[in-house]
Amino acid sequence: MKEKCFVMIKPGFLNYENEIVERLNKIGTITKRFQIKLTDEILNKHYEEHIGKPFFAELVNYMKSDEVVGFEVEGEEGLVKNIRECVGATKNPAPGTIRHDFGIGDVTKNVIHASDSPENGIKECQRMFDYVEMLNK
Ligand code: IDP
Ligand code: MG
């Protein structure tokens, strides 16, 4: 079964887009891209599972502070797992991962987002690219 993953370069790290794309291209195929500043409304949906957690306000404030770059990545079974491995852990990412290699050792400002399951990959790509398309109408 084909999989989709939503990947997003977080504010302040867009200068690493080429290096990040090079790594993603080894795992899957980038089929869509946007560059935009996100709002509270869409971030509340995207990070819904974290509403009420102590880091939520800081996370949303950071995520809307500047432009992000979003990608839809497509690939074969295992795509989402392989992208998550390439991205690295939320805390203390290992050397060789995107979060380690381009990061600044900050748990919130951790370079990149990637969907955590094939189901969420489809949902997040749909939501984000529908949103951007709606803005462009
Ligand atoms: P993930 O991005 O590795 O999937 P999640 O647990 O889904 O991690 O958390 C979403 C985002 O919230 C993280 O990427 C990070 O930016 C932020 N975050 C998660 N846990 C913490 C925390 O304990 N302190 C501060 N920020 C956090
Ligand atoms: Mg997550």
Side-chain angles (χ1 to χ4, degrees):
M1 274 288 279
K2 287 250 185 200
E3 290 183 14
K4 279 186 188 188
C5 189
F6 178 63
V7 175
M8 175 163 60
I9 308 178
K10 297 188 178 186
F13 298 99
L14 272 53
N15 52 320
Y16 295 119
E17 181 171 351
N18 290 343
E19 287 90 337
I20 290 169
V21 163
E22 204 176 304
R23 293 186 187 203
L24 294 175
N25 281 339
K26 291 183 182 145
I27 306 172
T29 306
I30 295 171
T31 43
K32 291 181 187 173
R33 178 193 182 277
F34 66 70
Q35 180 165 346
I36 195 177
K37 208 165 154 174
L38 298 174
T39 63
D40 276 313
E41 195 186 3
I42 188 74
L43 285 165
N44 280 331
K45 283 185 200 139
H46 178 68
Y47 283 124
E48 196 169 25
E49 63 172 310
H50 300 302
I51 291 175
K53 293 185 185 171
F55 60 84
F56 185 74
E58 184 190 354
L59 174 62
V60 169
N61 280 327
Y62 163 56
M63 289 303 296
K64 68 178 184 184
S65 67
D66 206 346
E67 290 187 333
V68 300
V69 168
F71 300 107
E72 178 184 83
V73 187
E74 288 188 355
E76 301 303 322
E77 194 168 336
L79 173 87
V80 170
K81 185 175 164 284
N82 293 336
I83 289 180
R84 290 284 295 193
E85 268 172 31
C86 169
V87 158
T90 317
K91 286 171 188 167
N92 301 314
T97 64
I98 291 170
R99 282 178 170 166
H100 174 276
D101 296 353
F102 307 122
I104 53 170
D106 186 302
V107 180
T108 306
K109 300 182 172 98
N110 60 356
V111 187
I112 193 162
H113 165 84
S115 310
D116 62 5
S117 68
E119 190 192 8
N120 283 334
I122 290 168
K123 262 194 226 167
E124 291 178 5
C125 285
Q126 185 93 55
R127 181 198 292 128
M128 284 299 183
F129 285 92
D130 280 359
Y131 172 72
V132 171
E133 222 171 87
M134 180 266 295
L135 291 179
N136 290 333
K137 270 182 186 154

